[in-house]
Amino acid sequence: MNYFPRKFLRVLFFALLFTASLAASNARASNMEWYPFTINEDQMASITDFSGLNHPLGPTDRLFVKGAHFYRVGADSRPQTKDDQRVRLFGVSLTGSANFPREEDAPKISRRLRSLGFNAVRLHHLDTVLSDSEDKPQGILTTGAFPSFNQSAVQRLKTFIDALRREGIYVNLNLHVGYSFRYVVDQLTPLVPGENMPFASSPLHLFEPRMIALQVEYAKQLIRRLDLNNDPALAMIEINNESSLVGAWQRKDVDGLQGEYQRLLQQQWQRWALRQYGSLDKACRVWGSCGLTKQGALLVRQDEARVLVFGDGWLAHGQQLAKRALAKIDVKSPSILEPKFEVQEEGAGRRVLDFVRFLSEMDKQYFETIRQAVRSEVGDLVPLTGTQMYYGGIINADSQKNLDYLDQHFYVDHYDFPHQSWDRNDWRIRDHSAVREGWEPLLKQAFYRDIQKPFVISEFNQAYPNRQSAEIMPVVTAIASAQDWDGLFLFQYADGNTWKALPDSFSLSGMGGQIATTGISAAMFRQFQIPVLREQSVVTMTPDARLMVGAMGEGVTSDAYIEYIRRSFDLDVRDVFTKRVGAYLLQKSGTGNGAVSSHQNKNSTDKELAGAFWSANDGHLVSDRDAPNLRASGAYSAMFAGFSQSSSLAGSSELLSPVFSKEGRQFGVMMLVTRDAKPLNKSRRLLLTISGATTGSQPDVFPARPKNLIAYPGDRGWWTLEPDASSASKPSGPRDATGPVWLERINVSFFYPSNAKRMVIYPLDPDGQRLAPVAGSDILKTDRGFKVSLNKSSPWYEVLLVD
């Protein structure tokens, strides 16, 4: 683990300042200026340290589900009593080797995470890499038959969990994530000769009996070896990462099954049909056609779901008719492509719906098997979830009916690999923004919340080198707070092989623009600082409606569930901005579909969303969709994220309405939080952060300069990093950066309303210590407050107000 002495970091910081002017001349061509700045995560000053949000975890801190949220059991150590206390989790993922730090490093890493405001970590990809190394374990399993545990990894993880517990940090234990079963070593149903086991064995591990039995054994042994029974640090357990049979079918992975695995699933489908209809002949009469062969009823291909839109004729006349019909469709005409959303009681459409129901019930059976095994080890309190909602859609709520909370993943601008997956030197991004291209996808997540259960986003990020990545935590925090979600886990913290504080794909460590926003985001979310939306809209859905939407998935329409909500209930993403939104899942078919709204005033909603200016919660949540940007505020904190195209301080009476210099790209993230436990209107000591893009350095160049984001060769609208000299023939530079780290300089003006007589602002160094104060000429007193102009080489500031 690389820990730089504090004195060395200070010397490096000031020594690199002289190179900033050289780098700025090149950066201005892209409307960006840079300065070198590496936040010292081990030496946080009190103004930037959010450790006070945590306390060591004990028996009173055990988590459980009460109603639709997470709670602590309280002083009586019993759930469902008067002293239960609501808890939100603000966490970060640890993957692979990062879960197994050396014994001497575990306390240091735990203190780092605590100082950033995290109260949970997600133990992810424990099982993906098989590792026999005792010195540097990469995974918790060895190369022996599954499950064979690496004792060094187990001991390191136990020690790490102890350190996390002392720092007030819960753990989210992930079970099956990346382990790919080996049919010879693990004595499984054989594959077709020449066929390779898919990554994580998905979806085979969901229905092959031997694989399921081995997962039961792994879950039990993992919990026992880590001594997690009755451990207050165990916050929750995820059974299966990003995998369901319904989701696999929607992605056509079930279509590709071969040999014994195809036969096994086909037999299970046939037995299901026999149970439902009494005989295959009766099923055939209902379906119109079984596709019967000597082997039984054929699996339903994903393409057959088109019958739900085009009718039975799509199948009756074969694939050629379908191709001709589709060829005549004007893809620009939504009215032709829109599905009918009519539940078909018979015919080919019923066969499709029955098959999706079969897959969903197989998923439920899998989750129930693992759930019972886990409950036998940890009891009934620990919240459990199955898999992420997006991998199958709203129908996943049916397969997870007996589980405790629902989980989701959300990314803005995930990497794309044009040729080979995870190629280090051939990748690209769109450089999208969470308040622009990611806006509607983020708001849509609300429709996947079951209003009867807690809702968690266990992965989200806007990865390096996206230039707007500093916005992701504040924006997601603002929406999650207003919607009253229960957990957020950034993906991820660091590469555990080096622990270097450098940008590295999804890693937070080294990403100064993001780190500057972390503590304030944590305080906002965990302390309920942004008001929850008062109005609520609830979408009610019957089981058949969920089946229909699940059958359409993304294979028939671009987003069948969201389209169904829009057409059936007259709700869209704008409603998510003004009302808490979720689904109430009816358990019986028949009538009852509809939107049930409490405290809803459609006229007031239309006024709040007039034109491009959206406002909710009496102005605590505001978005200018033309810019675009998002502002959120509460009694103790405020944030702004996005673009500002204003030329004057027209909105100067409002807190954090920044105006960015026209010489820059007019983007920035500003956050403000009180540090004296007083509301904003009374606080006299505050932390202000101003951040934008983060980048590493181009290696082997002197003097050091920022690595540039360049257009991906041959594809307009795609971006990548300039190649290193050692790989100049490749399209991209690596996603793991070389130091020093550079932050975007933000030239901004804003108004701060206050009745104080004087304002003093100190830029802070990488340790969070004060530098020379901002000149008085940049802080102008008015009768209502202060007009401030900042353009310093720092992402954070201490603000003092003097009476």
mmCIF file of all heavy atoms in Angstrom, residues 379-407:
data_model
loop_
_atom_site.group_PDB
_atom_site.id
_atom_site.type_symbol
_atom_site.label_atom_id
_atom_site.label_comp_id
_atom_site.label_asym_id
_atom_site.label_seq_id
_atom_site.Cartn_x
_atom_site.Cartn_y
_atom_site.Cartn_z
ATOM 1 N N GLY A 379 -30.293 -15.980 10.664
ATOM 2 C CA GLY A 379 -31.561 -15.634 11.272
ATOM 3 C C GLY A 379 -32.440 -14.806 10.363
ATOM 4 O O GLY A 379 -32.176 -14.659 9.162
ATOM 5 N N ASP A 380 -33.481 -14.219 10.938
ATOM 6 C CA ASP A 380 -34.519 -13.567 10.146
ATOM 7 C C ASP A 380 -34.345 -12.063 9.975
ATOM 8 O O ASP A 380 -35.082 -11.446 9.211
ATOM 9 C CB ASP A 380 -35.891 -13.817 10.790
ATOM 10 C CG ASP A 380 -36.280 -15.286 10.769
ATOM 11 O OD1 ASP A 380 -35.825 -15.987 9.840
ATOM 12 O OD2 ASP A 380 -37.024 -15.717 11.666
ATOM 13 N N LEU A 381 -33.399 -11.435 10.694
ATOM 14 C CA LEU A 381 -33.322 -9.981 10.648
ATOM 15 C C LEU A 381 -32.604 -9.448 9.417
ATOM 16 O O LEU A 381 -33.040 -8.469 8.814
ATOM 17 C CB LEU A 381 -32.620 -9.449 11.902
ATOM 18 C CG LEU A 381 -33.437 -9.335 13.187
ATOM 19 C CD1 LEU A 381 -32.665 -8.533 14.232
ATOM 20 C CD2 LEU A 381 -34.782 -8.684 12.938
ATOM 21 N N VAL A 382 -31.478 -10.034 9.042
ATOM 22 C CA VAL A 382 -30.622 -9.468 7.999
ATOM 23 C C VAL A 382 -31.394 -9.325 6.689
ATOM 24 O O VAL A 382 -31.920 -10.307 6.162
ATOM 25 C CB VAL A 382 -29.375 -10.330 7.772
ATOM 26 C CG1 VAL A 382 -28.503 -9.745 6.653
ATOM 27 C CG2 VAL A 382 -28.563 -10.444 9.060
ATOM 28 N N PRO A 383 -31.488 -8.125 6.127
ATOM 29 C CA PRO A 383 -32.212 -7.936 4.858
ATOM 30 C C PRO A 383 -31.526 -8.653 3.698
ATOM 31 O O PRO A 383 -30.301 -8.600 3.548
ATOM 32 C CB PRO A 383 -32.167 -6.413 4.662
ATOM 33 C CG PRO A 383 -31.938 -5.848 6.034
ATOM 34 C CD PRO A 383 -31.063 -6.843 6.719
ATOM 35 N N LEU A 384 -32.326 -9.310 2.863
ATOM 36 C CA LEU A 384 -31.820 -10.052 1.704
ATOM 37 C C LEU A 384 -32.478 -9.536 0.436
ATOM 38 O O LEU A 384 -33.644 -9.145 0.437
ATOM 39 C CB LEU A 384 -32.119 -11.548 1.835
ATOM 40 C CG LEU A 384 -31.761 -12.273 3.132
ATOM 41 C CD1 LEU A 384 -32.121 -13.746 3.020
ATOM 42 C CD2 LEU A 384 -30.283 -12.114 3.452
ATOM 43 N N THR A 385 -31.708 -9.590 -0.670
ATOM 44 C CA THR A 385 -32.278 -9.326 -1.988
ATOM 45 C C THR A 385 -31.784 -10.384 -2.953
ATOM 46 O O THR A 385 -30.802 -11.093 -2.673
ATOM 47 C CB THR A 385 -31.918 -7.918 -2.483
ATOM 48 O OG1 THR A 385 -32.756 -7.575 -3.594
ATOM 49 C CG2 THR A 385 -30.469 -7.821 -2.921
ATOM 50 N N GLY A 386 -32.450 -10.488 -4.102
ATOM 51 C CA GLY A 386 -32.114 -11.530 -5.064
ATOM 52 C C GLY A 386 -31.130 -11.070 -6.108
ATOM 53 O O GLY A 386 -29.968 -11.422 -6.105
ATOM 54 N N THR A 387 -31.604 -10.250 -7.052
ATOM 55 C CA THR A 387 -30.740 -9.699 -8.095
ATOM 56 C C THR A 387 -31.269 -8.321 -8.456
ATOM 57 O O THR A 387 -32.276 -7.855 -7.912
ATOM 58 C CB THR A 387 -30.672 -10.618 -9.318
ATOM 59 O OG1 THR A 387 -29.555 -10.245 -10.146
ATOM 60 C CG2 THR A 387 -31.961 -10.561 -10.146
ATOM 61 N N GLN A 388 -30.600 -7.665 -9.401
ATOM 62 C CA GLN A 388 -30.961 -6.284 -9.738
ATOM 63 C C GLN A 388 -32.214 -6.258 -10.622
ATOM 64 O O GLN A 388 -32.395 -7.114 -11.487
ATOM 65 C CB GLN A 388 -29.790 -5.590 -10.434
ATOM 66 C CG GLN A 388 -28.667 -5.218 -9.487
ATOM 67 C CD GLN A 388 -27.954 -6.410 -8.886
ATOM 68 O OE1 GLN A 388 -27.652 -7.382 -9.576
ATOM 69 N NE2 GLN A 388 -27.660 -6.350 -7.594
ATOM 70 N N MET A 389 -33.031 -5.244 -10.420
ATOM 71 C CA MET A 389 -34.308 -5.161 -11.108
ATOM 72 C C MET A 389 -34.146 -5.004 -12.619
ATOM 73 O O MET A 389 -34.959 -5.506 -13.389
ATOM 74 C CB MET A 389 -35.121 -3.996 -10.549
ATOM 75 C CG MET A 389 -35.604 -4.223 -9.129
ATOM 76 S SD MET A 389 -36.770 -5.600 -9.013
ATOM 77 C CE MET A 389 -38.193 -4.896 -9.859
ATOM 78 N N TYR A 390 -33.100 -4.292 -13.045
ATOM 79 C CA TYR A 390 -32.983 -4.050 -14.479
ATOM 80 C C TYR A 390 -32.725 -5.334 -15.252
ATOM 81 O O TYR A 390 -32.981 -5.409 -16.457
ATOM 82 C CB TYR A 390 -31.871 -3.034 -14.759
ATOM 83 C CG TYR A 390 -30.498 -3.618 -14.935
ATOM 84 C CD1 TYR A 390 -30.005 -3.922 -16.194
ATOM 85 C CD2 TYR A 390 -29.677 -3.888 -13.834
ATOM 86 C CE1 TYR A 390 -28.732 -4.458 -16.367
ATOM 87 C CE2 TYR A 390 -28.420 -4.410 -13.994
ATOM 88 C CZ TYR A 390 -27.944 -4.705 -15.253
ATOM 89 O OH TYR A 390 -26.689 -5.235 -15.416
ATOM 90 N N TYR A 391 -32.232 -6.404 -14.562
ATOM 91 C CA TYR A 391 -31.944 -7.643 -15.264
ATOM 92 C C TYR A 391 -33.189 -8.533 -15.254
ATOM 93 O O TYR A 391 -33.248 -9.569 -14.599
ATOM 94 C CB TYR A 391 -30.743 -8.363 -14.628
ATOM 95 C CG TYR A 391 -30.027 -9.249 -15.617
ATOM 96 C CD1 TYR A 391 -28.954 -8.776 -16.371
ATOM 97 C CD2 TYR A 391 -30.441 -10.554 -15.829
ATOM 98 C CE1 TYR A 391 -28.320 -9.578 -17.289
ATOM 99 C CE2 TYR A 391 -29.809 -11.368 -16.740
ATOM 100 C CZ TYR A 391 -28.752 -10.877 -17.471
ATOM 101 O OH TYR A 391 -28.120 -11.680 -18.386
ATOM 102 N N GLY A 392 -34.207 -8.086 -15.983
ATOM 103 C CA GLY A 392 -35.468 -8.797 -16.055
ATOM 104 C C GLY A 392 -36.651 -7.865 -15.966
ATOM 105 O O GLY A 392 -37.719 -8.137 -16.489
ATOM 106 N N GLY A 393 -36.465 -6.729 -15.253
ATOM 107 C CA GLY A 393 -37.525 -5.743 -15.184
ATOM 108 C C GLY A 393 -38.441 -5.937 -13.993
ATOM 109 O O GLY A 393 -38.136 -6.645 -13.028
ATOM 110 N N ILE A 394 -39.615 -5.312 -14.058
ATOM 111 C CA ILE A 394 -40.528 -5.267 -12.921
ATOM 112 C C ILE A 394 -40.982 -6.654 -12.506
ATOM 113 O O ILE A 394 -41.326 -6.882 -11.334
ATOM 114 C CB ILE A 394 -41.747 -4.360 -13.245
ATOM 115 C CG1 ILE A 394 -42.534 -4.046 -11.975
ATOM 116 C CG2 ILE A 394 -42.610 -4.978 -14.322
ATOM 117 C CD1 ILE A 394 -41.777 -3.236 -10.962
ATOM 118 N N ILE A 395 -40.952 -7.625 -13.409
ATOM 119 C CA ILE A 395 -41.365 -8.980 -13.050
ATOM 120 C C ILE A 395 -40.406 -9.616 -12.048
ATOM 121 O O ILE A 395 -40.743 -10.577 -11.351
ATOM 122 C CB ILE A 395 -41.511 -9.860 -14.313
ATOM 123 C CG1 ILE A 395 -42.294 -11.139 -13.968
ATOM 124 C CG2 ILE A 395 -40.157 -10.168 -14.920
ATOM 125 C CD1 ILE A 395 -42.604 -11.988 -15.164
ATOM 126 N N ASN A 396 -39.203 -9.077 -11.930
ATOM 127 C CA ASN A 396 -38.281 -9.577 -10.914
ATOM 128 C C ASN A 396 -38.836 -9.391 -9.511
ATOM 129 O O ASN A 396 -38.433 -10.088 -8.573
ATOM 130 C CB ASN A 396 -36.926 -8.865 -11.009
ATOM 131 C CG ASN A 396 -36.035 -9.463 -12.068
ATOM 132 O OD1 ASN A 396 -36.400 -10.439 -12.716
ATOM 133 N ND2 ASN A 396 -34.870 -8.886 -12.266
ATOM 134 N N ALA A 397 -39.728 -8.428 -9.343
ATOM 135 C CA ALA A 397 -40.349 -8.248 -8.026
ATOM 136 C C ALA A 397 -41.160 -9.475 -7.638
ATOM 137 O O ALA A 397 -41.313 -9.778 -6.453
ATOM 138 C CB ALA A 397 -41.226 -7.002 -8.030
ATOM 139 N N ASP A 398 -41.701 -10.228 -8.625
ATOM 140 C CA ASP A 398 -42.446 -11.451 -8.329
ATOM 141 C C ASP A 398 -41.511 -12.564 -7.877
ATOM 142 O O ASP A 398 -41.802 -13.255 -6.903
ATOM 143 C CB ASP A 398 -43.228 -11.891 -9.566
ATOM 144 C CG ASP A 398 -44.400 -10.977 -9.861
ATOM 145 O OD1 ASP A 398 -45.487 -11.240 -9.333
ATOM 146 O OD2 ASP A 398 -44.217 -9.989 -10.591
ATOM 147 N N SER A 399 -40.407 -12.723 -8.580
ATOM 148 C CA SER A 399 -39.473 -13.781 -8.185
ATOM 149 C C SER A 399 -38.814 -13.478 -6.846
ATOM 150 O O SER A 399 -38.343 -14.382 -6.158
ATOM 151 C CB SER A 399 -38.401 -13.974 -9.269
ATOM 152 O OG SER A 399 -37.655 -12.797 -9.463
ATOM 153 N N GLN A 400 -38.802 -12.190 -6.440
ATOM 154 C CA GLN A 400 -38.200 -11.797 -5.166
ATOM 155 C C GLN A 400 -39.263 -11.439 -4.124
ATOM 156 O O GLN A 400 -38.995 -10.691 -3.184
ATOM 157 C CB GLN A 400 -37.265 -10.610 -5.382
ATOM 158 C CG GLN A 400 -36.133 -10.922 -6.350
ATOM 159 C CD GLN A 400 -35.148 -9.783 -6.500
ATOM 160 O OE1 GLN A 400 -34.315 -9.559 -5.640
ATOM 161 N NE2 GLN A 400 -35.264 -9.063 -7.602
ATOM 162 N N LYS A 401 -40.451 -11.990 -4.287
ATOM 163 C CA LYS A 401 -41.570 -11.679 -3.396
ATOM 164 C C LYS A 401 -41.212 -11.916 -1.930
ATOM 165 O O LYS A 401 -41.583 -11.133 -1.047
ATOM 166 C CB LYS A 401 -42.791 -12.527 -3.782
ATOM 167 C CG LYS A 401 -43.983 -12.370 -2.856
ATOM 168 C CD LYS A 401 -45.109 -13.323 -3.248
ATOM 169 C CE LYS A 401 -46.252 -13.252 -2.247
ATOM 170 N NZ LYS A 401 -47.340 -14.227 -2.592
ATOM 171 N N ASN A 402 -40.488 -12.981 -1.627
ATOM 172 C CA ASN A 402 -40.185 -13.333 -0.242
ATOM 173 C C ASN A 402 -38.881 -12.727 0.255
ATOM 174 O O ASN A 402 -38.438 -13.059 1.365
ATOM 175 C CB ASN A 402 -40.136 -14.853 -0.088
ATOM 176 C CG ASN A 402 -41.492 -15.497 -0.337
ATOM 177 O OD1 ASN A 402 -42.530 -14.899 -0.072
ATOM 178 N ND2 ASN A 402 -41.485 -16.706 -0.871
ATOM 179 N N LEU A 403 -38.261 -11.875 -0.552
ATOM 180 C CA LEU A 403 -37.034 -11.204 -0.139
ATOM 181 C C LEU A 403 -37.361 -9.809 0.382
ATOM 182 O O LEU A 403 -38.476 -9.322 0.229
ATOM 183 C CB LEU A 403 -36.044 -11.178 -1.304
ATOM 184 C CG LEU A 403 -35.590 -12.591 -1.717
ATOM 185 C CD1 LEU A 403 -34.853 -12.561 -3.045
ATOM 186 C CD2 LEU A 403 -34.717 -13.221 -0.643
ATOM 187 N N ASP A 404 -36.386 -9.163 0.988
ATOM 188 C CA ASP A 404 -36.683 -8.029 1.859
ATOM 189 C C ASP A 404 -36.576 -6.656 1.212
ATOM 190 O O ASP A 404 -37.206 -5.709 1.671
ATOM 191 C CB ASP A 404 -35.742 -8.068 3.070
ATOM 192 C CG ASP A 404 -35.825 -9.396 3.793
ATOM 193 O OD1 ASP A 404 -36.898 -9.689 4.336
ATOM 194 O OD2 ASP A 404 -34.829 -10.151 3.797
ATOM 195 N N TYR A 405 -35.737 -6.508 0.207
ATOM 196 C CA TYR A 405 -35.586 -5.201 -0.432
ATOM 197 C C TYR A 405 -35.266 -5.399 -1.903
ATOM 198 O O TYR A 405 -34.892 -6.506 -2.326
ATOM 199 C CB TYR A 405 -34.514 -4.353 0.259
ATOM 200 C CG TYR A 405 -33.079 -4.798 0.039
ATOM 201 C CD1 TYR A 405 -32.290 -4.200 -0.946
ATOM 202 C CD2 TYR A 405 -32.496 -5.785 0.829
ATOM 203 C CE1 TYR A 405 -30.970 -4.590 -1.142
ATOM 204 C CE2 TYR A 405 -31.179 -6.169 0.645
ATOM 205 C CZ TYR A 405 -30.417 -5.579 -0.346
ATOM 206 O OH TYR A 405 -29.111 -5.966 -0.533
ATOM 207 N N LEU A 406 -35.442 -4.340 -2.696
ATOM 208 C CA LEU A 406 -35.147 -4.405 -4.121
ATOM 209 C C LEU A 406 -33.906 -3.578 -4.430
ATOM 210 O O LEU A 406 -33.641 -2.553 -3.796
ATOM 211 C CB LEU A 406 -36.336 -3.895 -4.944
ATOM 212 C CG LEU A 406 -37.615 -4.730 -4.846
ATOM 213 C CD1 LEU A 406 -38.683 -4.182 -5.779
ATOM 214 C CD2 LEU A 406 -37.355 -6.201 -5.142
ATOM 215 N N ASP A 407 -33.176 -4.045 -5.419
ATOM 216 C CA ASP A 407 -31.869 -3.487 -5.731
ATOM 217 C C ASP A 407 -31.808 -3.127 -7.202
ATOM 218 O O ASP A 407 -32.497 -3.722 -8.038
ATOM 219 C CB ASP A 407 -30.795 -4.536 -5.389
ATOM 220 C CG ASP A 407 -29.391 -3.977 -5.484
ATOM 221 O OD1 ASP A 407 -29.216 -2.777 -5.236
ATOM 222 O OD2 ASP A 407 -28.472 -4.746 -5.812
#
